[in-house]
Amino acid sequence: MATSRFSAPSTRAESLSHCSSISRCLDFSSRNRSSSLVLTRTRRLRRVKLSSSVRNVSSEPTQKIQDPITDEGVPGDLSSFTPDAASIASSIKYHAEFTPLFSPERFELPKAFFATAQSVRDALIINWNATYDFYEKMNAKQAYYLSMEFLQGRALLNAIGNLELTGAYGEALSKLGHNLETVAWQEPDAALGNGGLGRLASCFLDSLATLNYPAWGYGLRYKYGLFKQRITKDGQEEVAENWLEMGNPWEIARNDVSYPVKFYGKVVMGSDGKRHWIGGEDIEASAYDVPIPGYKTRTTINLRLWSTKVPSKDFDLYAFNDGEHTKACEAQVNAEKICYILYPGDESVEGKILRLKQQYTLCSASLQDIIARFERRSGGHVEWEEFPEKVAVQMNDTHPTLCIPELMRIFIDLKGMSWKEAWNITQRTVAYTNHTVLPEALEKWSLELMQKLLPRHVEIIEMIDDELIHNIVSKFGTSDLHLLEKKLNAMRILENCDLPASVGDVFVKAKETPVVDPSKDLEVTHEVEPADEDDEVEVEDNEVEVEDDDVEVEEMPKKKKLDPEPVPIPPKMVRMANLCVVGGHAVNGVAEIHSEIVKQEVFNDFYQLWPGKFQNKTNGVTPRRWIRFCNPDLSNILTKWTGAEDWVLSTQKLAELRKFADNEDLQIEWRAAKRSNKLKVVTYLKQKTGYSVSPDAMFDVQVKRIHEYKRQLLNILGIVYRYKKMKEMDAGERIAKFVPRVCIFGGKAFATYVQAKRIVKLITDVGATINHDPEIGDLLKVVFVPDYNVSVAELLIPASELSQHISTAGMEASGTSNMKFAMNGCILIGTLDGANVEIRQEVGEDNFFLFGAQAHEIAGLRKERAEGKFVPDSCFEEAKEFVRSGAFGSYNYDELMKSLEGIEGFGRADYFLVGKDFPSYIECQEMVDEAYRDQRRWTKMSILNTAGSYKFSSDRTIHEYARDIWNIEPVELP
């Protein structure tokens, strides 16, 4: 490890060298452009770097800060310098000395990472500012992607890869005594997301930048992320993430960009006749910007993250000096905790309030920022009718739903629009991506809580609901009141709330008016008023015949007082998904099967009303991060056999591999690349878990959020059954029957999701038993990788040979990890769920291991279960009993096993049909073993999976969003 202390680039030559590396970063994508353009960029570079003229990517004017080290002019044309390793090394040395975050004595790995990242950021800032200077001048329509999660992963290798500087940085760091890959591993993953929702958002930003679409991302800057996962003898334990403790070299605090956000208070009618939201709790949302570079383009877009605080004036100095320290800091703590944790536990009222505060902060600050940019670009004459022609807001799931009432509030209360104008503009601006069919994920909020926290927004939501009700009545009429009531119950935004009087009266009158059958004679009846709850009810004696003289029967009383059961009043709720559908102009699912379920089941009533709103946009993943950078061995093979590196931007080129699938030379290279990646994982698993695994075994991987519907329980019970059968055989039989496997799990169970945490515990217990069984040896290993994140995925996915995507059919919206695995030549075992359906179509049915019930069968199978007709397979019962036997330790797994038993009840009755699909799953795994024994066949299947994954690039997805939802065009910098 290098320990020498660097000196600053003290000479003019060294300063030029440092600057030339930045100049090359700027010009990398413009080699064939005219020298005049290069000179223009070089002059901009000189202004930015040598004079430190920092153009803020914000709505504020330029601010200049003089740099005493480098503000002297440098004669000559910097474009003559090349981005060689020496100039990049000089840049890194400069930042190690003059952008210090560590003590100056040594140049160890953490310091090397920060200095390297800062040198890369120099280039990104130049492109970043140039991008938004150009967007400002063009005044192009811009898309804004709002998401509670952005699961970015490490940025260093991605950034230098996009800048085409990987080789130069590798050589530069080698000269400084370090290895690029080792330095890159010093970077913590940005703790801004958890699962596929956040990773999708980050893939989209990569594609938006690469394809030169004008766009921004908006999110929250979580201080502690979700949590850091530790695996102990007790299973999963959670500790706070520390990703920001040493700073984040990629972000820039925009101290001049902040917006007020209000909670609580009340709404009053002002003297101007307008509604005013006053009082309450006020905080500030401050901007932190992160550059998102495109691949082989100068376009660098922005991810703006909000952090929350209060002004210094809200610190109670008097209370602090009186010893009331907690009280003095209360306002600051209340503000800051909004951005402490991703998805704080919401079982308590306080937790619910905090989650709702998070969602509103994201929406309010982002929309204020978007509107400020629109007004600035409009100059002195703002035409609000043009807002949807310049702004597209995409809500990634229901978390940003409050965009709709917030945009209405700003337009009506602050910009003076009428309701009709504001509603028209809002609907044309906003669109919604649905990510789930699970009822618990279709967010609902207590109306009472929302009234308390956001009183003005509830008024607006009530008005939207009222307008929706009248639209429903207009569409379906009042002739069939049963149908109308059904539609209102399904479609209203406000659940369990009274209808407007004009509509409610229709139902009241219908109940009061008796229905007369004209075919019968009219009979005169006496109207009987219903009894009050306190009335005594006459009960006639029942005649009781007693045959046994020894039985004495008490005479029944003539009157009996009946105490009616109290009828629970259902809570009044706000249905956020319904508000999204009503308030936006487009609703999209994220896979073909999911979009059909959205249209035919989840939002069928809305689909009947507005069929034109509903679309499909099958998810995609960026081929840059998920092949080009994380799997260089495979990337080289793809470039060689397709004839060029064009596949990185045009993944349809991957389909050309199909004609070489049987080529022996390709197959040898393919297997060598896979083995190289597996060896890296072997080293990693030993380091992280202590388990030694064989690279000759099949790597069987399931890595994703731990959730019952994703059915990690099905996987581990399959392993339990496999292990039991192995133990019943002698050594020779085992080897003949079973292919050696390393079964790898990874993923986080939400901290309060007890059943998911039990599944993690079972996996680790099974692993501890099997991995120490000398009879089994390398024939079967089970490893749970702790703290699974993007960086771990970048290591595991290229090494994987079988990947499990085994959710209950109809439950997974899309899945994107299945796409990443297929791209890397991994064969999938799965159900016909989410994107599995389309992947199987593209890679070929023979190259996908299919099992299990299909989506259209699920409801009937659950009904069969409820009627007690389901008979579990004997192999399933064997696996459960083996777990209960104590073979995997003393932990009591009764509750986990009971969730798979019974015919009804919460947490029972095997809702996700593990037992139903188990025999099919075991049979399919036997087919996997058979295929793996024939390595030529398996390698061909692997090649065809990569060839068939061409359709699942996020570039394709973004083109579809841009064309069908946002109506934006690419804007390439000159």
Side-chain angles (χ1 to χ4, degrees):
M1 180 178 294
T3 58
S4 61
R5 181 172 181 266
F6 288 144
S7 59
S10 55
T11 67
R12 177 170 298 183
E14 284 182 304
S15 294
L16 282 170
S17 180
H18 163 59
C19 296
S20 72
S21 68
I22 307 170
S23 178
R24 172 61 178 84
C25 295
L26 172 63
D27 294 333
F28 77 92
S29 64
S30 310
R31 294 189 189 95
N32 298 323
R33 296 189 181 133
S34 67
S35 59
S36 61
L37 284 176
V38 172
L39 182 59
T40 299
R41 288 193 293 274
T42 301
R43 286 169 179 162
R44 180 182 288 122
L45 161 66
R46 193 183 310 156
R47 289 197 303 272
V48 173
K49 182 62 197 171
L50 298 184
S51 301
S52 292
S53 173
V54 181
R55 170 65 163 81
N56 215 339
V57 186
S58 71
S59 57
E60 298 301 318
T62 301
Q63 296 184 3
K64 293 189 177 183
I65 306 169
Q66 294 301 316
D67 186 334
I69 301 296
T70 58
D71 82 331
E72 65 176 78
V74 179
D77 184 358
L78 292 178
S79 65
S80 63
F81 289 92
T82 58
D84 57 19
S87 61
I88 289 176
S90 177
S91 173
I92 294 171
K93 290 166 65 178
Y94 172 86
H95 283 289
E97 187 77 13
F98 291 104
T99 318
L101 291 169
F102 300 85
S103 57
E105 290 82 11
R106 294 178 300 277
F107 188 67
E108 295 179 335
L109 280 171
K111 186 175 184 177
F113 160 66
F114 273 87
T116 303
Q118 288 157 341
S119 76
V120 175
R121 196 182 71 173
D122 287 344
L124 297 185
I125 287 175
I126 295 167
N127 289 344
W128 201 8
N129 289 337
T131 299
Y132 280 92
D133 279 342
F134 192 63
Y135 287 174
E136 290 285 308
K137 292 171 186 173
M138 293 293 293
N139 193 19
K141 183 175 182 180
Q142 193 162 323
Y144 298 97
Y145 198 81
L146 272 65
S147 178
M148 288 295 285
E149 296 186 46
F150 287 92
L151 196 59
Q152 293 177 283
R154 293 179 173 133
L156 179 59
L157 293 179
N158 190 72
I160 63 174
N162 279 349
L163 291 170
E164 296 185 280
L165 293 172
T166 302
Y169 266 90
E171 188 179 346
L173 282 167
S174 179
K175 290 177 180 293
L176 299 176
H178 288 296
N179 173 271
L180 173 59
E181 190 171 333
T182 306
V183 169
W185 271 87
Q186 295 299 304
E187 180 177 1
D189 276 41
L192 299 172
N194 176 37
L197 182 82
R199 185 53 236 170
L200 175 76
S202 293
C203 282
F204 277 9
L205 292 187
D206 173 272
S207 287
L208 285 164
T210 296
L211 301 173
N212 302 302
Y213 282 112
W216 271 19
Y218 281 107
L220 296 182
R221 181 178 178 266
Y222 303 107
K223 186 174 182 179
Y224 301 116
L226 185 71
F227 57 80
K228 186 182 286 291
Q229 182 192 53
R230 291 179 178 168
I231 300 299
T232 71
K233 61 181 179 60
D234 298 316
Q236 172 182 297
E237 291 185 359
E238 305 87 27
V239 296
E241 266 282 5
N242 60 351
W243 76 288
L244 286 174
E245 283 189 0
M246 296 184 74
N248 179 5
W250 304 108
E251 70 181 13
I252 294 179
R254 302 298 188 188
N255 296 322
D256 57 334
V257 181
S258 64
Y259 296 97
V261 179
K262 182 187 291 294
F263 306 109
Y264 303 109
K266 61 182 179 179
V267 181
V268 299
M269 181 69 74
S271 58
D272 56 0
K274 296 181 179 179
R275 308 287 287 171
H276 294 273
W277 183 16
I278 62 171
E281 175 185 313
D282 296 303
I283 66 165
E284 287 183 6
S286 300
Y288 285 77
D289 287 352
V290 179
I292 308 294
Y295 178 70
K296 289 192 175 184
T297 175
R298 289 180 62 209
T299 300
T300 300
I301 65 172
N302 192 39
L303 170 58
R304 177 157 284 179
L305 303 172
W306 300 108
S307 186
T308 44
K309 63 180 183 179
V310 293
S312 302
K313 64 181 178 59
D314 288 344
F315 178 74
D316 192 338
L317 188 61
Y318 293 104
F320 193 87
N321 286 332
D322 286 341
E324 298 181 68
H325 303 148
T326 301
K327 178 183 176 183
C329 302
E330 185 176 6
Q332 186 66 35
V333 170
N334 283 338
E336 288 180 352
K337 71 182 181 183
I338 292 172
C339 292
Y340 275 174
I341 300 291
L342 169 65
Y343 304 141
D346 61 353
E347 293 184 343
S348 66
V349 173
E350 291 77 9
K352 289 181 172 64
I353 290 172
L354 187 56
R355 279 212 190 186
L356 194 54
K357 280 186 171 183
Q358 285 185 333
Q359 295 186 6
Y360 179 61
T361 297
L362 170 64
C363 296
S364 180
S366 302
L367 288 175
Q368 290 181 72
D369 197 43
I370 291 166
I371 288 170
R373 190 170 299 107
F374 172 77
E375 290 178 318
R376 187 184 67 248
R377 290 184 181 180
S378 299
H381 186 63
V382 178
E383 293 286 349
W384 289 108
E385 181 62 24
E386 296 179 359
F387 189 79
E389 307 305 321
K390 297 295 182 182
V391 171
V393 174
Q394 188 70 33
M395 300 182 298
N396 191 29
D397 214 351
T398 52
H399 306 127
T401 305
L402 289 168
C403 279
I404 295 166
E406 174 68 358
L407 202 52
M408 292 291 290
R409 182 189 72 85
I410 293 172
F411 285 156
I412 295 170
D413 295 359
L414 304 182
K415 305 303 178 183
M417 293 186 200
S418 68
W419 174 272
K420 184 177 180 181
E421 291 173 319
W423 187 233
N424 176 267
I425 293 171
T426 297
Q427 285 188 304
R428 289 163 57 208
T429 301
V430 175
Y432 162 52
T433 299
N434 173 273
H435 283 278
T436 186
V437 300
L438 297 179
E440 65 268 23
L442 292 174
E443 277 190 302
K444 296 180 184 181
W445 285 101
S446 161
L447 180 62
E448 181 183 5
L449 185 149
M450 192 175 282
Q451 282 175 324
K452 180 180 179 183
L453 192 69
L454 301 169
R456 179 57 177 143
H457 295 77
V458 169
E459 290 185 345
I460 292 169
I461 291 169
E462 287 172 341
M463 294 174 72
I464 296 171
D465 186 61
D466 188 81
E467 185 166 308
L468 172 64
I469 289 168
H470 286 92
N471 282 339
I472 294 169
V473 173
S474 176
K475 171 70 175 178
F476 297 103
T478 58
S479 58
D480 186 342
L481 290 180
H482 177 71
L483 173 65
L484 179 60
E485 185 176 29
K486 180 182 175 184
K487 295 291 182 182
L488 290 170
N489 287 338
M491 299 173 71
R492 285 192 64 187
I493 297 163
L494 299 179
E495 186 178 53
N496 302 320
C497 293
D498 293 337
L499 289 165
S502 58
V503 178
D505 286 348
V506 174
F507 290 96
V508 172
K509 289 176 182 177
K511 290 177 182 178
E512 290 176 347
T513 305
V515 179
V516 179
D517 186 342
S519 65
K520 295 182 179 180
D521 293 333
L522 291 177
E523 296 181 0
V524 179
T525 60
H526 296 283
E527 188 173 328
V528 180
E529 292 185 4
D532 292 336
E533 289 183 358
D534 294 330
D535 285 353
E536 293 182 338
V537 180
E538 299 280 6
V539 181
E540 292 185 3
D541 289 348
N542 292 325
E543 294 183 5
V544 181
E545 185 175 347
V546 181
E547 296 180 356
D548 190 338
D549 293 338
D550 293 332
V551 177
E552 295 182 4
V553 180
E554 292 184 7
E555 183 179 347
M556 294 184 65
K558 294 292 184 183
K559 293 183 178 181
K560 181 178 181 182
K561 181 161 178 137
L562 298 179
D563 294 326
E565 288 282 334
V567 179
I569 300 174
K572 297 179 179 180
M573 307 295 287
V574 181
R575 296 192 278 201
M576 307 301 268
N578 289 23
L579 179 54
C580 285
V581 175
V582 174
H585 68 276
V587 179
N588 71 277
V590 290
E592 287 179 359
I593 185 174
H594 170 239
S595 295
E596 284 305 305
I597 292 172
V598 165
K599 290 190 290 187
Q600 303 305 327
E601 297 178 28
V602 181
F603 297 127
N604 180 252
D605 296 293
F606 288 108
Y607 177 63
Q608 292 180 40
L609 187 60
W610 300 307
K613 275 193 182 187
F614 291 82
Q615 304 182 20
N616 175 60
K617 295 286 172 280
T618 297
N619 283 341
V621 299
T622 167
R624 270 76 62 186
R625 183 178 288 270
W626 294 112
I627 311 181
R628 180 65 183 84
F629 303 145
C630 77
N631 198 344
D633 291 341
L634 179 61
S635 295
N636 293 335
I637 293 172
L638 298 179
T639 299
K640 174 183 175 181
W641 287 85
T642 61
E645 206 177 50
D646 297 355
W647 61 268
V648 181
L649 288 170
S650 303
T651 51
Q652 61 268 26
K653 301 278 187 181
L654 295 176
E656 295 177 12
L657 289 171
R658 287 171 174 157
K659 60 188 177 187
F660 304 116
D662 288 309
N663 186 287
E664 186 174 351
D665 291 337
L666 173 58
Q667 288 207 358
I668 290 170
E669 293 175 23
W670 199 272
R671 284 193 290 270
K674 183 66 72 173
R675 184 174 178 81
S676 174
N677 289 321
K678 289 171 73 175
L679 287 170
K680 294 176 186 176
V681 171
V682 169
T683 302
Y684 179 81
L685 294 181
K686 178 66 175 177
Q687 175 192 349
K688 287 294 181 182
T689 70
Y691 291 132
S692 296
V693 301
S694 169
D696 297 319
M698 178 202 300
F699 278 23
D700 172 355
V701 180
Q702 188 180 19
V703 284
K704 52 186 68 199
R705 270 189 313 125
I706 310 297
H707 197 292
E708 288 172 279
Y709 90 83
K710 293 180 183 288
R711 299 203 295 191
Q712 286 91 351
L713 185 55
L714 174 60
N715 187 349
I716 193 61
L717 287 175
I719 293 169
V720 166
Y721 183 76
R722 187 182 186 93
Y723 176 59
K724 184 176 185 295
K725 293 304 169 186
M726 285 181 174
K727 295 293 286 182
E728 293 169 356
M729 299 176 181
D730 61 35
E733 288 177 308
R734 285 187 208 114
I735 293 170
K737 174 72 174 175
F738 297 105
V739 163
R741 287 204 199 194
V742 178
C743 301
I744 301 172
F745 293 83
K748 294 178 179 179
F750 191 66
T752 58
Y753 191 173
V754 175
Q755 202 74 312
K757 293 177 80 168
R758 288 184 181 129
I759 294 170
V760 174
K761 171 65 173 164
L762 177 59
I763 294 168
T764 57
D765 281 352
V766 169
T769 298
I770 294 176
N771 298 346
H772 292 102
D773 189 332
E775 290 185 352
I776 301 303
D778 286 336
L779 201 56
L780 183 61
K781 298 288 187 185
V782 180
V783 183
F784 191 98
V785 180
D787 207 37
Y788 177 70
N789 57 24
V790 174
S791 295
V792 177
E794 289 174 309
L795 186 68
L796 288 179
I797 290 173
S800 301
E801 294 170 287
L802 180 74
S803 182
Q804 306 218 20
H805 301 273
I806 56 178
S807 51
T808 311
M811 312 267 11
E812 184 78 85
S814 173
T816 51
S817 63
N818 46 8
M819 301 170 184
K820 299 164 196 166
F821 281 100
M823 279 183 171
N824 283 272
C826 182
I827 300 160
L828 309 187
I829 179 172
T831 54
L832 284 179
D833 195 29
N836 281 1
V837 177
E838 292 159 83
I839 290 174
R840 183 169 176 263
Q841 290 169 354
E842 296 301 328
V843 306
E845 294 180 6
D846 293 339
N847 305 304
F848 185 106
F849 294 104
L850 178 67
F851 76 95
Q854 296 187 34
H856 68 272
E857 300 174 295
I858 301 302
L861 291 169
R862 287 187 179 133
K863 182 181 179 184
E864 178 186 273
R865 183 82 186 218
E867 292 171 351
K869 297 177 181 177
F870 172 69
V871 179
D873 189 88
S874 60
C875 63
F876 182 58
E877 293 300 295
E878 275 188 65
K880 287 193 304 174
E881 289 310 308
F882 197 34
V883 171
R884 282 188 165 121
S885 72
F888 304 105
S890 59
Y891 186 85
N892 187 337
Y893 283 106
D894 275 354
E895 285 302 311
L896 186 56
M897 294 300 103
K898 285 178 181 176
S899 72
L900 306 173
E901 299 168 345
I903 60 173
E904 60 184 354
F906 181 77
R908 297 289 183 268
D910 193 11
Y911 184 77
F912 298 105
L913 303 179
V914 174
K916 175 64 181 179
D917 282 350
F918 191 80
S920 173
Y921 177 71
I922 295 300
E923 182 181 349
C924 195
Q925 288 286 13
E926 291 172 355
M927 296 169 61
V928 171
D929 278 1
E930 180 185 352
Y932 193 77
R933 286 191 182 94
D934 182 350
Q935 279 294 292
R936 283 188 58 84
R937 175 191 171 193
W938 188 272
T939 305
K940 179 179 179 179
M941 293 172 71
S942 176
I943 293 168
L944 290 174
N945 264 265
T946 298
S949 67
Y950 71 93
K951 184 179 177 182
F952 302 106
S953 166
S954 52
D955 295 354
R956 183 265 313 156
T957 315
I958 285 301
H959 278 313
E960 292 180 1
Y961 272 94
R963 180 193 66 214
D964 301 334
I965 297 179
W966 302 334
N967 191 27
I968 61 173
E969 298 289 338
V971 178
E972 187 171 0
L973 274 67

